[in-house]
Amino acid sequence: METSRLRSLLDRLHKGTGTIAVLTGAGISAESGIPTFRGPEGYWTVGSTEYRPEQMATHFMFRQDPWEVWSWYLYRRAVCLRAEPNVGHKSIVTMESTLADRMRLITQNVDGLHLRTGNTQERTFQIHGNLHFMRCAHSCSTEIFPIPPSVGLKKRNESVTDEEKSLLVCPRCGSLARPHVLWFDETYNEQHFRADSSLRWAHQADLLLVVGTSGATNLPMQMGEIFSRRPEAIFLDVNPHPNPFREMAEAHPNGLALKGTACEILPVIAELLVTRP
Ligand code: OAD
Ligand code: ZN
């Protein structure tokens, strides 16, 4: 790792005032055992057909077959509930403890692990939602509700039981509930997904730290592009594999691509930030 270049970039952050936007994707939870979307386990089989997340994670699919989509989310919820946060997640908690209001965590992950590790709800923008919550599929209100605890921890491709179906309903109007996530055929908004706040941080923060994302979704790519047009800012990408943010970081005058895993690299960044806050 290019620790000396990293150190000198972090030295450019103004002590006591420098602000950081941390943008995470599925890669940060990979070392907790949660499969990434575009890795080998990212597909879902219905009958004899394999679906990719761009097909499963859609309102279109939910309208066709709500219980198949629920089954996919409840299986993923079980995987997430059994997973433990890793040192990558913990390092981001260390960063927030040090930087407080000078940091925002913008996560595409719906696994809830950042909050479970200790990042605060106020400073964590869950831009794709959180699969431990549901809301009314008919939008009778915008309220979100925890998935009832008695809904089971599903195995892969296990069906939703009739009893569970009776629990996965909107507590206000009694009609079908849906996972509280953003689907590919839906648009970002501020109320549920903190989209405007995320863009504001992209325009203002002094440093963008991207961790473990393939850049397949719109808002994260916009954030990367905004930072690419801000030569005075600092642009770091942490990912063992090539991805669009690595290219942006490499093209940026104050950019650095850190080619390793979240658990290898984030403790080093957190340590440098803590000792030079
Ligand atoms: P992807 O599965 O597309 O990408 C995961 C990224 O993590 C890849 O770039 C990997 O190289 C990287 N990676 C793997 N292991 C890593 C490790 N140990 N440390 C660091 N990086 C690692 O996941 P996302 O980019 O998060 O959206 O996917 C974006 C969105 O597409 C998701 O939020 C979801 C999905 O379909 C919606 O559902 C709306
Ligand atoms: Zn309702």
Side-chain angles (χ1 to χ4, degrees), residues 126-127 135 142 180 182 186-198 219:
Q126 299 181 101
I127 61 172
R135 62 180 199 268
T142 54
H180 174 55
L182 178 70
E186 296 179 317
T187 47
Y188 288 102
N189 63 52
E190 173 64 12
Q191 183 183 25
H192 280 141
F193 306 112
R194 310 299 307 271
D196 301 338
S197 302
S198 300
L219 180 59

Side-chain angles (χ1 to χ4, degrees), residues 23-195:
L23 169 65
T24 63
I28 192 168
S29 296
E31 287 161 284
S32 292
I34 300 178
T36 60
F37 292 95
R38 288 162 190 85
E41 292 174 75
Y43 67 92
W44 185 252
T45 313
V46 182
S48 56
T49 313
E50 280 186 5
Y51 290 94
R52 290 274 145 198
E54 290 81 352
Q55 300 166 297
M56 277 312 286
T58 59
H59 197 252
F60 177 79
M61 188 67 119
F62 187 74
R63 276 197 308 272
Q64 308 280 308
D65 200 341
W67 299 115
E68 192 60 48
V69 172
W70 261 120
S71 164
W72 184 50
Y73 279 101
L74 293 179
Y75 160 69
R76 289 175 50 205
R77 168 175 168 262
V79 172
C80 297
L81 285 173
R82 291 195 185 104
E84 289 301 325
N86 63 50
V87 297
H89 296 108
K90 288 176 190 157
S91 301
I92 296 180
V93 173
T94 305
M95 290 178 203
E96 187 181 337
S97 309
T98 305
L99 296 162
D101 232 15
R102 292 193 281 132
M103 184 187 122
R104 290 296 180 276
L105 170 57
I106 297 134
T107 185
Q108 295 165 83
N109 299 345
V110 295
D111 58 28
L113 275 179
H114 285 303
L115 296 182
R116 233 173 82 194
T117 317
N119 286 109
T120 63
Q121 186 98 42
E122 308 76 64
R123 300 190 190 110
T124 303
F125 303 159
Q126 299 181 101
I127 61 172
H128 293 165
N130 183 320
L131 54 63
H132 303 293
F133 292 84
M134 61 184 197
R135 62 180 199 268
C136 182
H138 296 104
S139 307
C140 78
S141 81
T142 54
E143 253 176 291
I144 66 165
F145 308 94
I147 305 257
S150 41
V151 172
L153 295 185
K154 293 277 164 217
K155 298 195 191 68
R156 198 175 177 93
N157 284 111
E158 189 183 338
S159 305
V160 183
T161 64
D162 286 342
E163 198 188 329
E164 288 162 347
K165 288 179 186 175
S166 72
L167 295 168
L168 295 168
V169 294
C170 167
R172 294 275 167 266
C173 73
S175 66
L176 182 65
R178 56 165 287 173
H180 174 55
V181 295
L182 178 70
W183 283 327
F184 277 95
D185 49 359
E186 296 179 317
T187 47
Y188 288 102
N189 63 52
E190 173 64 12
Q191 183 183 25
H192 280 141
F193 306 112
R194 310 299 307 271

